[in-house]
Amino acid sequence: MPAPTCASCHTARANLRRPRSGQALCGACFCNAFEAEVLHTVLAGRLLPRGAVVAVGASGGKDSTVLAHVLRALAPQLDISLHLVAVDEGIGGYRDAALAAVRHQAARWELPLTVVAYEDLFGGWTMDAVARSTAGSGRSRSCCTFCGVLRRRALEEGARLVGATHIVTGHNADDMAETVLMNFLRGDAGRLARGGGLGSPGEGGALPRCRPLQLASQKEVVLYAHFRRLHYFSEECVYAPEAFRGHARDLLKRLEAARPSAVLDLVHSAERLALAPTARPPRPGACSRCGALASRALCQACALLDGLNRGLPRLAIGKGRRELELEEAPRRSVPAADALTAF
Amino acid sequence: MAAPLSVEVEFGGGAELLFDGVKKHQVTLPGQEEPWDIRNLLIWIKKNLLKERPELFLQGDSVRPGILVLINDADWELLGELDYQLQDQDSVLFISTLHGG
């Protein structure tokens, strides 16, 4: 069974079958189509206006490597400038190698690079220290929860540092579909409602964020890197095997084997979801500590750091966060009560 | 009886971590009654190359979903997947899409 001829140029032998359309393309035609589709996603969604200074969240992994490479190719057409921002989470033996990959890319593609570290931003907390602290409370599975929240904050800080007007991240369609599945499985209606669309417009003073690869499947991202001969860092983070996301990923991959369009179908489903008025989360306010968007008194990042600093890390995640606030409420009222009796 | 085949087997995208970190393997598949196909190759890889956690590479008689297979740089979906009959000097590349991000 020889490979068919490329359905686009009709001359080269096809190298792959596209998951969504089933179209057989050669490597060169596929890479061109992939870039054209990212361009279309950015233009049709008005994600990056002309003149934007774009901070690219760079991890050295496949997604951000492909994102930086594609945007660099499209930058003249889009009239944007790029700045790589990498986050050093302080994960011994893992992040060092990944950051080396980012430095190599920045040098090779002549893109400016800025590295921001958890340790500097978050009062000395590295991810290794967070992991030790959470393991003590028997909740090592929550590492990715902490890291996700802190990385989001760190990227925001890094982007501001370099004067960026926009942030882009490498999330692909599979990442989005996994997140949709996880939100369903956790019954997290608030996140489901917020998760749709290609990004956030930048509420509450945050920089606008978008995900130009959101409609590209994992398979195509990896094949793009392969056919463009891009080198990326592909070791699993030491804390990831504990994460719930792995189960969502396995489930998704099995669904995809039975129905190749399942990934994008799931992303589209989430975009079309509407919550009943009674289920809508309240309009977010501002974090009382840092001013970032928050649905409670403290934003997620400040609540996590607060829990860590008080030696009660698990209080800041999931249901614990409610306990944290309940616990804080009477404490605040204590001085008032004292004042009353004294009076 | 099919003659022995010389084949290049390569692992990437993190899949190499299950093979002692070695990406390229030049292997000789012994002569056998049946022609060598990818289904047989996977069994041979499991016996001869795979170093740890086989469930992260294989599932049932195929590769774990999320591992891409390229035969001579072409997606195996275009070539009959498990039924593709190996030729001498073929190269087979397994790329994990499941690592990192």
Side-chain angles (χ1 to χ4, degrees), chain B residues 3 7-8 12 14 19-20 22 24 28 37 43-45 47 50 54 57 63 69 73 78 84 87 90-91 100:
Chain B
V7 173
E8 184 186 85
F19 297 86
D20 263 353
V22 180
K24 281 195 185 185
T28 304
D37 56 19
I43 297 167
W44 187 91
I45 287 174
K47 259 190 221 153
L50 195 56
F57 186 69
V63 291
V69 185
D73 226 21
L78 298 169
Y84 173 82
Q87 316 289 314
D90 271 352
S91 77

Side-chain angles (χ1 to χ4, degrees), chain A residues 140-159:
Chain A
S140 63
R141 271 184 303 154
S142 56
C143 276
C144 295
T145 306
F146 280 87
C147 199
V149 171
L150 297 180
R151 185 154 4 88
R152 187 182 172 85
R153 168 60 59 87
L155 185 54
E156 180 85 23
E157 303 267 344

Side-chain angles (χ1 to χ4, degrees), chain A residues 237-250:
Chain A
C237 172
V238 289
Y239 301 120
E242 307 293 328
F244 184 51
R245 182 169 288 273
H247 299 290
R249 180 171 298 172
D250 284 343

Side-chain angles (χ1 to χ4, degrees), chain A residues 60 65 101 104-105 108-109 225 229-233, chain B residues 23:
Chain A
T65 297
H104 177 77
Q105 288 167 0
R108 186 160 172 200
W109 298 338
R229 306 272 175 254
L230 306 181
H231 294 282
Y232 57 86
F233 179 73
Chain B
K23 290 193 169 184

Side-chain angles (χ1 to χ4, degrees), chain B residues 64-91:
Chain B
R64 183 181 172 209
I67 294 180
L68 307 180
V69 185
L70 297 180
I71 302 163
N72 302 322
D73 226 21
D75 189 351
W76 74 334
E77 288 181 27
L78 298 169
L79 300 169
E81 304 195 3
L82 291 169
D83 295 324
Y84 173 82
Q85 291 196 2
L86 285 163
Q87 316 289 314
D88 195 42
Q89 303 305 319
D90 271 352
S91 77

Side-chain angles (χ1 to χ4, degrees), chain A residues 1-3 13-17 24 59 61-63 218-219 222-223 226-227 229 232 234-236 249-250 253, chain B residues 13-14 16-17 59 64-66 68 70-75 77-80 93 95-101:
Chain A
M1 183 171 167
R13 202 176 57 114
N15 290 104
L16 65 117
R17 189 190 295 286
S59 69
K62 58 184 175 349
D63 300 304
Q218 187 114 276
K219 174 178 175 179
V222 170
L223 286 176
H226 174 74
F227 288 115
R229 306 272 175 254
Y232 57 86
S234 55
E235 247 169 70
E236 186 94 86
R249 180 171 298 172
D250 284 343
K253 283 290 144 202
Chain B
E16 70 276 14
L17 300 174
Q59 210 168 84
R64 183 181 172 209
L68 307 180
L70 297 180
I71 302 163
N72 302 322
D73 226 21
D75 189 351
E77 288 181 27
L78 298 169
L79 300 169
L93 168 61
I95 313 178
S96 173
T97 67
L98 303 167
H99 284 82

